[in-house]
Amino acid sequence: MLPLGLGGPGHFAAVRDFFRSVGYTEPAVCKQLSVDGLHQLLSGSQKSEPSAPKEAPNALAALMRLFLVGNSASREWLDGFIPATVQDSMEALGILCADNAQPGRCYSPVAIYPVRGLFIASDRWKNPDGSPVAAIDDYVFPAIHLLTHQFLELLPTSSCETLLDLGSGTGIAALLASQEYARQSWAVDITARATQFGEFNRRLNALSNARVLQGNLYEPVEGLRFERIVAHPPFVPSMERGAIYADGGGDGEQITRAIVQGLPRFLERRGCLYCSTMGVEREGEPYEQRVRQWLDPDESAFDVLFVAERTQGPTQFAYRATRHAKGSWDQMDEWCAHLEKLKVKNFVYGLLLIQEKDSTRSAFTVRRQKAEYTGAAQVQWLRDWESTWAGAPSGEFLLASRPLVSPHLELQIVQTNRHGELLPSKYTLRTAYPFEVEGECTKWMATLVARCDGKVTALELFAAGKREKWIPPDMPDEEFASILGALVSKGILQIAGFFPPCEADRKPQP
Ligand SMILES: C[S@@+](CC[C@H](N)C(=O)[O-])C[C@H]1O[C@@H](n2cnc3c(N)ncnc32)[C@H](O)[C@@H]1O
């Protein structure tokens, strides 16, 4: 049953104006609950379970009690904080109902909370008595879930003409885009319930430049093309049908694969997909390479960039899936056999970025590991750098640059005892900004990095290295430039025009 009403614009305006007038904002609510972000309410990382204030001192606390904590309240109590006309509008919109089990009390059948300046309704995660809600197939995923929060944090907010949000749930990504940076957005979800919540949220926030449509992925937008496509699709592998918000088919990749395969038809020239998802690595087949194959026969027209966040092995996944389903050892064995058949070496979760490339250059495929401070700006930096570098394969601009060693770099030198003498035997470069990078390098690379002071050109360093014999004598300058490019790409060296986002933009990510 669909819980919401989409009644007249007057009701939406009355509720919206009231929410605004009492300061129902994310910072105000977080302060009341002593959390850094509302995603902490659902991630279990908050210090203690938030509860409704015993005596609500004001209207803000009353809204939190009804719509976020989700308790019921007596009519008399509510009358002290919410004007009767606003309560009437809430009832007309289906967000305030009489509690049949407790005469004289009322509750909200949905959750509504502020997210970055919007008011967003989703399904609740608890019943008014505090018990967990019963599972339903078309559950509307809360926009304050940690995974949605992480997805939103990695989306660019630069202006764009058209944006499509696939598997939109509450519509949060499309609605934020419409409010902040997109001329027009489209939100598509397969369930009637999510579509109703999305449309409700669009009206509640009075966003006339967003459209909310129901259908299977691209089906409702056939014939259109988009500058930006964003998605946080279901990605959980399943052996039998699960909730629609989570179930990604046998390998978890079914929906993500269909999204990627639709790009040649639905992405505009130079357009880009940002997709928070999980996928499979097989022996000798990293995830990003497998994704590239999904684009066949158009794969050479696209760049693929994957920012990995978490990795888990098949046994770990099988154990968690079994525990989540309160299953037996036999079920765990079934899971292991299922994943073995799929040749799963690892599951990787992260941000998949695919862009239609400039036709004059070759395509790139890049993978990085997300670091504590990696956000949308750092991902955009990598995308810009790789696009430029792929367009200038001779590396002349690199040879003319004055590389500077990253302030975040650590060079570790291991010395081992050889015939009574301690000699350097291993060089390791490590940085945690803008991405997590760690790898062994040769002695000459360690020397090069140490000499990159931002004053000397790379060509001068190359000549000095040859003269002083710390660079291999037979190394051509193109190979040297290519190694420099890789060091810039990994955030080990920096060059003018491509400094990673400045320190002030560093923001720890959850
Ligand atoms: C994990 S939820 C994410 C919701 C929202 N984007 C967010 O980040 O909060 C995935 C959503 O994809 C929708 N979905 C699943 N299969 C779909 C399909 N084939 N086409 C469109 N939407 C789909 C589900 O109904 C659900 O709302």
Side-chain angles (χ1 to χ4, degrees), residues 141-143 148 151 165 167-170 172 188-191 194 215-217 232-234 244-245 255:
F141 204 70
T148 300
F151 163 56
D165 177 9
S168 50
T170 55
I172 181 66
V188 173
D189 202 286
I190 199 164
T191 74
N216 182 9
L217 296 180
H232 168 205
I244 300 167
Y245 72 84
I255 310 284

Side-chain angles (χ1 to χ4, degrees), residues 134-140 191 193 241-246:
I136 51 171
D137 276 355
D138 54 358
Y139 182 77
V140 179
T191 74
R193 194 176 175 87
R241 242 193 94 219
I244 300 167
Y245 72 84

Side-chain angles (χ1 to χ4, degrees), residues 283-298:
E283 201 56 58
E285 286 183 84
Y287 178 59
E288 61 279 12
Q289 293 293 353
R290 297 190 49 247
V291 168
R292 177 164 279 297
Q293 287 162 18
W294 297 343
L295 288 158
D296 230 20
D298 300 299

Side-chain angles (χ1 to χ4, degrees), residues 171-429:
I172 181 66
L175 299 179
L176 273 176
S178 272
Q179 174 179 256
E180 291 175 8
Y181 57 86
R183 187 184 58 75
Q184 177 73 45
S185 78
W186 283 257
V188 173
D189 202 286
I190 199 164
T191 74
R193 194 176 175 87
T195 310
Q196 198 208 37
F197 273 79
E199 180 59 18
F200 179 93
N201 290 329
R202 187 191 73 75
R203 294 186 192 196
L204 182 58
N205 293 285
L207 291 166
S208 56
N209 61 340
R211 291 196 65 193
V212 181
L213 303 168
Q214 184 184 354
N216 182 9
L217 296 180
Y218 297 101
E219 201 178 71
V221 292
E222 191 61 60
L224 298 178
R225 282 186 182 265
F226 303 89
E227 184 180 335
R228 206 170 289 168
I229 299 177
V230 303
H232 168 205
F235 54 69
V236 181
S238 61
M239 287 196 295
E240 50 194 47
R241 242 193 94 219
I244 300 167
Y245 72 84
D247 189 343
D251 55 6
E253 296 182 337
Q254 188 177 298
I255 310 284
T256 306
R257 197 161 44 236
I259 290 173
V260 170
Q261 287 168 342
L263 295 178
R265 275 202 308 132
F266 292 94
L267 209 50
E268 259 187 13
R269 295 204 63 206
R270 308 277 183 283
C272 197
L273 164 79
Y274 294 81
C275 180
S276 274
T277 191
M278 188 169 88
V280 170
E281 315 242 50
R282 301 208 178 109
E283 201 56 58
E285 286 183 84
Y287 178 59
E288 61 279 12
Q289 293 293 353
R290 297 190 49 247
V291 168
R292 177 164 279 297
Q293 287 162 18
W294 297 343
L295 288 158
D296 230 20
D298 300 299
E299 62 94 10
S300 62
F302 293 90
D303 299 315
V304 178
L305 196 159
F306 182 59
V307 180
E309 186 168 346
R310 294 189 286 278
T311 301
Q312 59 178 323
T315 314
Q316 191 184 12
F317 177 86
Y319 172 72
R320 285 187 176 165
T322 310
R323 201 182 55 175
H324 182 73
K326 299 191 171 63
S328 62
W329 274 109
D330 285 351
Q331 273 161 312
M332 165 118 178
D333 285 346
E334 251 179 76
W335 262 116
C336 287
H338 175 72
L339 300 179
E340 202 178 318
K341 221 187 289 164
L342 292 170
K343 302 195 178 94
V344 176
K345 184 178 154 219
N346 271 321
F347 287 107
V348 276
Y349 169 82
L351 178 77
L352 180 62
L353 187 157
I354 300 179
Q355 66 174 356
E356 206 239 30
K357 72 174 184 63
D358 178 336
S359 61
T360 58
R361 64 164 172 82
S362 52
F364 65 77
T365 307
V366 171
R367 171 154 172 178
R368 287 288 172 275
Q369 180 65 40
K370 189 172 183 277
E372 186 184 3
Y373 291 96
T374 306
Q378 290 71 19
V379 173
Q380 188 57 36
W381 167 82
L382 182 61
R383 178 188 170 194
D384 289 346
W385 165 254
E386 293 296 331
S387 303
T388 304
W389 188 29
S394 75
E396 272 172 38
F397 78 105
L398 273 162
L399 292 174
S401 72
R402 294 172 196 275
L404 174 69
V405 64
S406 160
H408 309 284
L409 184 74
E410 280 177 22
L411 166 62
Q412 193 181 58
I413 303 173
V414 174
Q415 306 215 357
T416 39
N417 191 333
R418 293 228 184 100
H419 312 296
E421 199 182 352
L422 278 179
L423 293 173
S425 59
K426 190 171 153 189
Y427 301 82
T428 305
L429 296 170

